[in-house]
Amino acid sequence: MTRPTVINNVRIIDPSQNLDETGTIVIEDGRIAAAGSGARNQGVPDGAEVVDGSGLVAAPGLVDARVFVGEPGAEHRETIESASRAAAAGGITSFIMMPDTDPVIDDIALVEYVLKTARDKALVHVHPAAALTKGLAGTEMTEFGLLREAGAVAFTNGRHAMHDAQVLRRAMTYAREFSAVIALETRDKHLGAGGVMNEGLLASWLGLSGTPREAEVIPLERDLRLATLTRAAYHAAQISVPESADAMRVARSRGANATCGISINHLTLNENDIGEYRTFFKLSPPLRGEDDRTAMVQALADGTIDIIVSSHDPQDVDTKRLPFAEAADGAIGLETMLAAALRLHHSSEVSLMRLFDAMSTRPAKIFGLDAGTLRSGAVADLVLIDLDEPWIAAKDGFVSRSKNTPFEDARFTGRAVQTYVAGKRVHAAQR
Amino acid sequence: MDSFPHRHLLGIKGLTEPEITYLLDKADAAVNISRQREKKTSTLRGLTQINLFFEASTRTQSSFELAGKRLGADVMNMSVGNSSVKKGETLIDTAMTLNAMHPDVLVVRHSSAGAAALLAQKVSCAVVNAGDGQHEHPTQALLDALTIRRAKGKLSRIIVAICGDVLHSRVARSNILLLNAMGARVRVVAPATLLPNGIAQMGAEVYHSMEEGLKDADVVMMLRLQRERMSGAFVPSVREYFRYFGLDAEKLKAAKEDALVMHPGPMNRGVEIASEIADGPQSVIEQQVEMGVAVRMAVMETLLVSQNQGPRA
């Protein structure tokens, strides 16, 4: 049993209770015993460690709903253990692991393997998402019922979009009875074929083939119609253009049980960052224009976009040190999601309440995780943040096994100072 | 009611409660014929029955064949491969050819819905639908009803849970129609992928859990799940299907203690039904086969003899 902890004089921001006040957090037996101004001067449990939280913000530990890990199959890029350390360093206390591994997580034995490995080695809570279709091939649905019982929290085709509407309709219909959330990428197989960056002037000058926004919006609209038809719980994993946010609004007004996410990259970077073929900025969906980015920040602020994900996707030199068009998509992000999101706070574009909602309370709710709150009795997953500490994301400072960050040497203001998982401190920044 | 006003038996749809009762009463009497040592009667002597099966079938075809023979008819089996290129043409051409041989009754099975009705328009004899696509299989519903009525004494107000692949099942459609006509309460229990659109308006209460759907049921009717449908297209796997929708002792506990377990056959043991249940004391699967012959004798006799005294429709 971990030692009790008392955090004093800390600004507590908990979107699950719409709470923003300075007070005390008492952690006992791995759970929140009390949190808020009312918990002040309530005495300290025997043997408790007392932390001075002056000048810091405490929020529910972040929940990252989209993380790729290399285990099993590509442990040189990232293991469950190394990803969990990176997560802890970034204030993330739970993440959902994508099934795009080798072998693909499409069977209960693999779900059990992930959970066992996480239990033995991970610093944070790791929840496997299972493949929606066998081998992610898009043709035959997996055992939603058995996989749910084994511990899969969502069903997704990972990086692979679903192309067959008939298969998707049946999967949604079948998933509904098992209360399984289906989380999908939307990317048209043909319309976006060959595209390696946002379609537009910049791509034309760089001589790179473009991915049009319609390649995202058309399949999204199809999926949303199927979600309405089947009444399935649908989550668009990553949207990148305002037309997609519009589609979400329309679908919800028609009664779809639909939510969506956006990667932190698409909220804080744009296509200009690609510069001279910098492959760490090669993502899927591609980074869009600055107007798109600002519109998406607005859609996040007003709640149209539910959640922010890191889309942590470790790649190595073999897959990134290549000509731009040939390089793999993806960027790591566990350690920088919080700091990058705080840019939206410092620019006064998105409130802290909404940011923590989007990075903790909402994703926990969408995927049914026991997280995202500081209510008394809740599991004591929390992050202490210094909102104003300046730091530079130096390459050799990363914990992740892979270094493909689009924020290399970026200047940030604010970071996770301490991270607690079930009451245990799993990260303490050197200050 | 002392006569049957229909010339053909193309489906349960359109049959009234007294008409169904009439057929079941007749079938009840026919059961005894098959239980005698001397099983042959002369009711249909001199009449010709042709079994025209465009789809492979063992039990239904032999059941119709025995029914005809026990009534004294001359029975001919025509098994037509389903590989013919243009089925519509083949069906009518075959029908016209057979019609020229002056049969008295044609028993037809075909993979296309509506095939029996189409054929009935083209021939001058009685037509019995032995299964048309995913549409109807009226003699199966009648034999199921007879089995239930003999065990429970009635059909009205009993709860029948039809479980499994309702979407592709003609047996389920005919049973839903018949049981509703007779005043039974029908439930369907299946994953949503195996239910047809609008099932809730078809006269069945919809359940997605065996535990809830079987609660207090008097009859549990299992349907066959075709192999090609159990590996990801409609359900993910046999193992998952059996776990949630296969009838085993645990799930059967939800039904009434004396609930009947039925299956139209052929069974997939370990897929939709556990062997211990299929062979267990509540199973009436063998009785269903016996009632099948009786029901088909009753249907044939009704169409070929009784109706000749009454008005035709």
Side-chain angles (χ1 to χ4, degrees):
Chain A
M1 194 53 48
T2 52
R3 214 176 139 188
T5 305
V6 175
I7 305 166
N8 283 321
N9 301 317
V10 69
R11 180 180 169 195
I12 300 165
I13 301 181
D14 179 5
S16 75
Q17 310 174 71
N18 199 25
L19 182 80
D20 185 350
E21 64 188 24
T22 300
T24 295
I25 298 174
V26 182
I27 302 169
E28 271 185 289
D29 298 335
R31 293 188 174 266
I32 307 282
S37 55
R40 280 173 164 164
N41 309 320
Q42 296 292 306
V44 173
D46 285 347
E49 180 183 350
V50 179
V51 176
D52 179 16
S54 304
L56 301 180
V57 162
L62 306 188
V63 176
D64 187 349
R66 195 165 190 277
V67 173
F68 294 91
V69 174
E71 185 174 0
E75 287 83 353
H76 61 288
R77 289 187 200 156
E78 198 83 282
T79 62
I80 290 169
E81 187 268 340
S82 67
S84 81
R85 281 191 293 119
I92 293 162
T93 54
S94 303
F95 67 77
I96 298 177
M97 178 177 147
M98 295 294 105
D100 308 43
T101 48
D102 183 13
V104 167
I105 301 169
D106 61 1
D107 190 272
I108 49 176
L110 286 146
V111 168
E112 284 161 2
Y113 166 80
V114 169
L115 288 171
K116 184 182 182 308
T117 307
R119 201 161 46 235
D120 293 347
K121 297 182 179 163
L123 294 182
V124 304
H125 308 291
V126 178
H127 301 282
L132 182 74
T133 57
K134 292 170 188 167
L136 299 173
T139 51
E140 296 170 352
M141 67 173 107
T142 54
E143 297 168 314
F144 298 165
L146 298 173
L147 289 162
R148 277 288 277 166
E149 284 188 24
V153 297
F155 293 86
T156 172
N157 243 28
R159 291 189 188 90
H160 303 254
M162 280 293 291
H163 303 298
D164 188 324
Q166 172 78 308
V167 173
L168 181 56
R169 180 193 176 172
R170 289 213 189 109
M172 283 180 168
T173 303
Y174 189 79
R176 192 181 70 219
E177 305 312 326
F178 293 101
S179 313
V181 182
I182 293 184
L184 290 181
E185 291 270 290
T186 58
R187 192 173 64 251
D188 190 89
K189 178 160 72 169
H190 303 292
L191 191 54
V196 297
M197 71 173 289
N198 186 37
E199 184 174 281
L201 188 59
L202 202 58
S204 298
W205 278 119
L206 286 170
L208 294 172
S209 33
T211 302
R213 55 193 56 230
E214 287 75 13
E216 170 179 312
V217 181
I218 293 169
L220 174 64
E221 288 183 333
R222 177 201 67 179
D223 288 5
L224 290 168
R225 282 180 186 276
L226 291 176
T228 310
L229 173 70
T230 60
R231 306 193 307 283
Y234 173 80
H235 179 75
Q238 293 196 100
I239 63 170
S240 68
V241 290
E243 290 86 344
S244 292
D246 293 341
M248 293 299 304
R249 288 187 197 100
V250 171
R252 284 174 185 151
S253 73
R254 286 200 207 109
N257 178 7
T259 53
C260 68
I262 185 167
S263 91
I264 188 64
N265 303 310
H266 292 87
L267 289 169
T268 53
L269 303 170
N270 67 30
E271 60 181 352
N272 298 303
D273 289 305
I274 290 168
E276 289 291 313
Y277 309 100
R278 295 162 73 192
T279 60
F280 285 4
F281 294 85
K282 185 174 185 228
L283 307 174
S284 176
L287 290 171
R288 303 292 184 177
E290 178 61 10
D291 289 348
D292 296 320
R293 188 193 71 79
T294 53
M296 295 312 260
V297 170
Q298 182 52 45
L300 174 77
D302 70 24
T304 304
I305 296 175
D306 297 272
I307 67 170
I308 303 172
V309 295
S310 73
S311 271
H312 181 82
D313 191 351
Q315 299 290 339
D316 56 20
V317 290
D318 296 344
T319 52
K320 279 293 191 184
R321 196 160 295 162
L322 292 168
F324 193 87
E326 293 164 36
D329 298 323
I332 60 168
L334 286 167
E335 294 164 73
T336 48
M337 177 169 77
L338 172 63
L342 289 175
R343 284 181 175 176
L344 305 175
H345 154 69
H346 292 300
S347 64
S348 302
E349 288 172 291
V350 187
S351 70
L352 284 175
M353 190 68 80
R354 178 77 260 273
L355 285 175
F356 294 127
D357 182 42
M359 290 191 290
S360 181
T361 305
R362 278 296 286 158
K365 187 152 186 278
I366 291 170
F367 295 100
L369 309 182
D370 186 11
T373 180
L374 296 176
R375 280 177 202 280
S376 47
V379 176
D381 293 345
L382 61 104
V383 55
L384 291 185
I385 301 161
D386 182 336
L387 292 176
D388 300 312
E389 183 183 335
W391 63 290
I392 293 173
K395 190 175 188 170
D396 52 10
F398 279 90
V399 175
S400 173
R401 281 199 182 178
S402 290
K403 310 298 174 194
N404 56 309
T405 173
F407 294 105
E408 189 176 328
D409 294 329
R411 288 164 193 280
F412 287 120
T413 305
R415 69 194 301 186
V417 176
Q418 293 186 12
T419 307
Y420 293 81
V421 172
K424 187 177 164 206
R425 189 182 300 134
V426 294
H427 162 72
Q430 299 189 343
R431 307 177 78 195
Chain B
M1 202 182 113
D2 52 6
S3 71
F4 188 79
H6 305 282
R7 183 176 182 195
H8 308 292
L9 181 68
L10 301 176
I12 298 297
K13 190 168 180 219
L15 297 190
T16 60
E17 193 258 302
E19 287 162 13
I20 292 165
T21 303
Y22 177 86
L23 289 174
L24 294 180
D25 290 347
K26 258 197 164 353
D28 228 347
V31 173
N32 294 326
I33 298 173
S34 295
R35 287 182 180 177
Q36 291 161 195
R37 184 177 157 79
E38 170 59 54
K39 299 181 181 64
K40 200 154 175 126
T41 68
S42 57
T43 319
L44 299 186
R45 194 170 60 196
L47 301 185
T48 304
Q49 169 189 340
I50 299 181
N51 295 337
L52 181 57
F53 278 61
F54 290 89
E55 231 183 32
S57 157
T58 319
R59 64 179 66 208
T60 306
Q61 186 170 338
S62 46
S63 180
F64 270 107
E65 183 176 348
L66 266 183
K69 284 181 171 165
R70 285 181 182 168
L71 291 170
D74 295 315
V75 183
M76 188 178 94
N77 286 315
M78 291 263 308
S79 293
V80 189
N82 232 350
S83 59
S84 317
V85 195
K86 288 182 180 170
K87 285 177 191 159
E89 240 178 42
T90 308
L91 175 66
I92 290 177
D93 286 351
T94 312
M96 296 317 290
T97 307
L98 292 174
N99 196 46
M101 300 177 189
H102 299 290
D104 298 282
V105 59
L106 268 179
V107 177
V108 188
R109 167 167 292 189
H110 197 279
S111 60
S112 294
L118 177 64
L119 204 133
Q121 294 167 12
K122 299 286 175 187
V123 297
S124 47
C125 64
V127 173
V128 176
N129 181 6
D132 61 329
Q134 296 166 13
H135 176 225
E136 280 228 48
H137 191 356
T139 56
Q140 179 72 43
L142 287 164
L143 76 87
D144 288 340
L146 183 61
T147 309
I148 299 170
R149 199 177 75 167
R150 286 171 69 100
K152 298 288 174 193
K154 61 172 185 176
L155 290 168
S156 63
R157 289 190 296 284
I158 60 163
I159 299 176
V160 182
I162 303 176
C163 311
D165 188 0
V166 176
L167 176 63
H168 300 100
S169 176
R170 53 193 171 213
V171 174
R173 284 171 179 76
S174 289
N175 264 309
I176 290 171
L177 289 166
L178 186 147
L179 291 165
N180 272 294
M182 303 307 285
R185 271 180 65 189
V186 184
R187 298 174 181 171
V188 292
V189 190
T193 42
L194 293 178
L195 291 173
N197 200 301
I199 179 69
Q201 283 87 54
M202 290 170 78
E205 299 162 49
V206 182
Y207 293 86
H208 301 296
S209 129
M210 291 286 274
E211 201 188 339
E212 291 166 26
L214 263 53
K215 193 171 184 302
D216 298 327
D218 298 285
V219 176
V220 181
M221 197 179 276
M222 302 307 297
L223 297 174
R224 177 182 169 78
L225 181 66
Q226 304 266 19
R227 287 213 168 269
E228 64 269 23
R229 294 179 182 136
M230 47 177 111
S231 61
F234 292 87
V235 293
S237 66
V238 169
R239 133 176 114 167
E240 175 149 322
Y241 188 74
F242 186 73
R243 167 82 169 70
Y244 296 104
F245 295 98
L247 187 65
D248 56 16
E250 189 57 38
K251 297 193 192 88
L252 186 55
K253 276 187 196 158
K256 283 194 184 141
E257 220 167 283
D258 60 349
L260 305 180
V261 173
M262 303 178 75
H263 194 298
M267 283 181 281
N268 288 308
R269 290 168 183 266
V271 178
E272 67 261 0
I273 189 163
S275 271
E276 50 164 349
I277 300 301
D279 305 330
Q282 288 171 261
S283 167
V284 291
I285 296 170
E286 279 178 30
Q287 282 94 305
Q288 286 176 272
V289 178
E290 186 189 3
M291 294 309 124
V293 178
V295 154
R296 283 154 189 144
M297 287 170 75
V299 167
M300 229 89 71
E301 189 189 329
T302 301
L303 295 181
L304 296 184
V305 181
S306 318
Q307 68 161 6
N308 291 334
Q309 280 103 53
R312 289 191 169 190

